[in-house]
Amino acid sequence: MRKLLISTVIAATAATGAVAQAPSDVAKARRAFYTLVGYEMATLGGMAQGKIDYDAETASQSAKDILTLTGYHTADLYVPGTSNEDLPGETRAKAAIWSDMAGVQEKGMAFYQAVVELNDVAGTGLDALRPAVGKLGGTCKACHDDYRAADF
Ligand code: HEC
């Protein structure tokens, strides 16, 4: 949790702009990061919904991969000047992210907490996996509702 807090705090103060990446590349990397999160979540969601047979090892691995992704220094992905107003057609990240970093941080913490809880139970059976995946999915949606545009 502390790591996530620190990286989000840095994101909030990154306006001084120490990152030399082109804005388009930042947006591309951000989307790639969330693509990976979504990729693992698709496996877990498929099992929770009965579209994929439950497998303890696969579920554990996917949960662990998402946990690993939460260790990523996401401040690098939230560089100012990379919202959908700055880069129309390239990103769905709303400008609200940069005006409400505390809110993003709150959503990020709920997400992280749900990932930790999921990791505790992912390998223990479908009955435990289902609600944990549901809870995690709710934290994805909560952030997307406020900070991700529906369209490009
Ligand atoms: C703290 C906020 C936050 C949380 C939590 C979050 N996301 Fe996102 N997600 C975003 C933002 C912002 C974008 C838009 C990125 C862009 O377009 O630059 C995004 C984009 C995506 C994308 C689209 C990537 C693309 O190709 O453009 C997927 C898939 C995704 N998220 C899945 C998830 C899943 C699954 C979870 C939960 C397990 C999750 N996200 C949790 C903020 C969040």
Side-chain angles (χ1 to χ4, degrees), residues 30-31 34-35 37-38 41 78 91-93 97 104 108 111 136 139-140 143-144 147-148:
R30 183 169 58 221
R31 292 181 53 198
Y34 285 113
T35 298
V37 174
M41 190 60 172
Y78 283 96
T91 172
R92 287 195 279 160
I97 291 169
V104 178
F111 165 71
L136 176 58
T139 70
C140 313
C143 189
H144 294 163
Y147 302 109
R148 187 181 74 169

Side-chain angles (χ1 to χ4, degrees), residues 22-24 26-27 30 77-84 86-87 91 93 98:
S24 292
V26 174
R30 183 169 58 221
L77 303 178
Y78 283 96
V79 178
T82 63
S83 77
N84 64 346
D86 303 307
L87 304 166
T91 172
W98 290 271

Side-chain angles (χ1 to χ4, degrees), residues 87-107:
L87 304 166
E90 294 182 48
T91 172
R92 287 195 279 160
K94 288 186 183 172
I97 291 169
W98 290 271
S99 60
D100 180 27
M101 206 42 93
V104 178
Q105 180 171 329
E106 209 173 286
K107 306 290 185 195

